[in-house]
Amino acid sequence: MIVEKEIPPTGSGQEHARVQLRSVDLNLLTVFDAVMQEQNITRAAHLLGMSQPAVSNAVSRLKVMFNDELFVRYGRGIQPTARASQLFGSVRQALQLVQNELPGSGFEPISSERVFNLCVCSPLDNALTSLILNNVNKVAPNTHLVFKSCLNQNTEHQLRYQELEFVIGYDEFRRPEFACVPLFRDEMVLVASTGHPRLLGPLKESDIYHEEHAVVSLERYASFSQPWYDTVEKQACIAYQGMALTSVLNVISQTELVAIAPRWLAEDFTKKLNIQILPLPMKLNSRTCFLSWHEAAGRDKGHQWMEELLVSVCRR
């Protein structure tokens, strides 16, 4: 009797990878994605339609699979380890690629009831929020847009876990995991009351900093005014710090303070306030507006649709 020996697979590492992949329960990756988003086992279980023990069991199996704790207790929730954070983008993109190919997974703007969370940073919110809302309502009347107008220390976290889907602002997210598309460049100008007694003739940068200034509070995260007041000497000329550029312009219209603002906003306020617009004699006399998102979100068809709409609506 001839006994045939089983011949082990030979060849490329690709074959070994296929064998290894067959041993993995890929359903665990959907659990990982939900737990990363919610950072709470109970909420993740609700999101997945699973029991809490089942999700906890899946997390235990994930820890064995990746040879890492993945999540540690933090307050009433859990916090991802460095390894979990590293895995999240790749897992999210892989799941999204699969989901995009499933029947009925396309995005239909006219019938979608999806909620999009956006941050349109002040002062850009004055010009862009209504523009975005009106254009989205025309083509996707059942979608719901939720806006906020300022960045905070958690913005990168919110983008990474898609609690926030897009940011439109003057600040560029420079890490490789974020995508940034330039939309337009805004000219910056000096704004003062029309009766200001000293702003006569051509001005130099030193002339500007001899005046008292009104600014958006430098204590605000990613303050609009911060780039022009990056030294103690420059900060010494600040006499008023407001929470928004609109209040800053209102103050300078009634005083001898001056402010730096985008030309489009200043021109809009000349119709309402007693202000004049002067060229800004500084190296930083324009700023680029960016549309930013986390790359892990970029495979989602609804996200892609909104990205294209925002670019087409906001580019000047």
Side-chain angles (χ1 to χ4, degrees):
M1 182 176 65
I2 299 173
V3 178
E4 293 185 1
K5 293 183 178 179
E6 184 178 345
I7 300 174
T10 61
S12 68
Q14 191 174 25
E15 292 174 339
H16 174 70
R18 289 196 190 101
V19 172
Q20 188 178 33
L21 190 59
R22 283 200 300 271
S23 69
V24 173
D25 181 356
L26 297 180
N27 288 316
L28 294 176
L29 298 182
T30 62
V31 175
F32 174 79
D33 182 64
V35 175
M36 283 294 291
Q37 288 186 75
E38 298 296 329
Q39 298 195 14
N40 181 283
I41 296 293
T42 302
R43 290 200 301 268
H46 179 74
L47 180 67
L48 293 163
M50 297 170 62
S51 68
Q52 184 174 332
V55 172
S56 296
N57 179 261
V59 169
S60 297
R61 294 170 64 194
L62 282 162
K63 291 179 179 181
V64 174
M65 182 193 303
F66 291 111
N67 191 29
D68 188 271
E69 278 297 300
L70 295 180
F71 304 101
V72 294
R73 293 207 171 274
Y74 183 77
R76 295 186 177 181
I78 53 178
Q79 190 174 56
T81 64
R83 175 64 172 147
S85 297
Q86 181 186 42
L87 288 166
F88 179 66
S90 300
V91 170
R92 167 51 69 96
Q93 287 187 36
L95 291 173
Q96 196 61 63
L97 282 170
V98 173
Q99 186 174 329
N100 285 346
E101 300 306 320
L102 295 175
S105 64
F107 179 80
E108 297 295 337
I110 195 66
S111 58
S112 174
E113 297 181 356
R114 179 164 167 173
V115 177
F116 290 94
N117 292 279
L118 299 89
C119 177
V120 183
C121 300
S122 180
L124 291 160
D125 59 328
N126 286 272
L128 298 181
T129 301
S130 57
L131 193 64
I132 293 167
L133 268 170
N134 292 336
N135 277 273
V136 169
N137 284 339
K138 288 178 186 176
V139 293
N142 298 311
T143 59
H144 183 53
L145 304 185
V146 179
F147 289 89
K148 68 176 189 174
S149 64
C150 60
L151 300 175
N152 59 50
Q153 291 164 325
N154 294 320
T155 298
E156 285 194 6
H157 173 93
Q158 291 166 343
L159 283 171
R160 185 174 292 112
Y161 298 107
Q162 285 148 59
E163 298 165 11
L164 180 65
E165 292 174 81
F166 294 98
V167 170
I168 298 176
Y170 293 123
D171 291 279
E172 183 178 6
F173 292 82
R174 297 183 178 274
R175 297 191 186 191
E177 63 192 285
F178 294 102
C180 289
V181 173
L183 296 176
F184 51 83
R185 182 179 289 271
D186 271 340
E187 179 189 359
M188 300 293 154
V189 295
L190 186 73
V191 188
S193 66
T194 53
H196 199 289
R198 291 179 297 281
L199 302 179
L200 306 171
L203 298 170
K204 303 189 294 292
E205 181 172 326
S206 57
D207 298 326
I208 304 299
Y209 287 112
H210 278 134
E211 297 295 329
E212 290 190 309
H213 289 228
V215 303
V216 177
S217 175
L218 302 189
E219 294 179 359
R220 298 201 73 177
Y221 187 83
S223 163
F224 166 81
S225 300
Q226 180 61 54
W228 292 281
Y229 304 92
D230 55 353
T231 67
V232 173
E233 291 76 19
K234 292 175 182 177
Q235 291 171 13
C237 71
I238 296 173
Y240 169 77
Q241 298 195 47
M243 296 306 290
L245 200 51
T246 51
S247 61
V248 167
L249 294 180
N250 186 62
V251 167
I252 66 147
S253 72
Q254 304 171 67
T255 64
E256 292 183 6
L257 305 184
V258 301
I260 296 169
R263 177 177 286 278
W264 59 265
L265 183 65
E267 287 178 345
D268 185 51
F269 271 73
T270 57
K271 305 167 190 174
K272 310 168 188 175
L273 300 175
N274 185 34
I275 58 176
Q276 61 174 315
I277 299 170
L278 301 161
L280 186 64
M282 297 183 186
K283 185 176 180 180
L284 182 60
N285 57 14
S286 67
R287 294 185 71 180
T288 299
C289 173
F290 296 95
L291 172 66
S292 305
W293 65 92
H294 193 274
E295 62 176 8
R299 302 289 186 180
D300 174 70
K301 290 181 179 178
H303 188 282
Q304 292 170 356
W305 173 83
M306 179 59 77
E307 174 199 332
E308 291 175 6
L309 184 142
L310 291 173
V311 169
S312 65
V313 166
C314 297
R315 275 192 172 151
R316 299 173 182 171

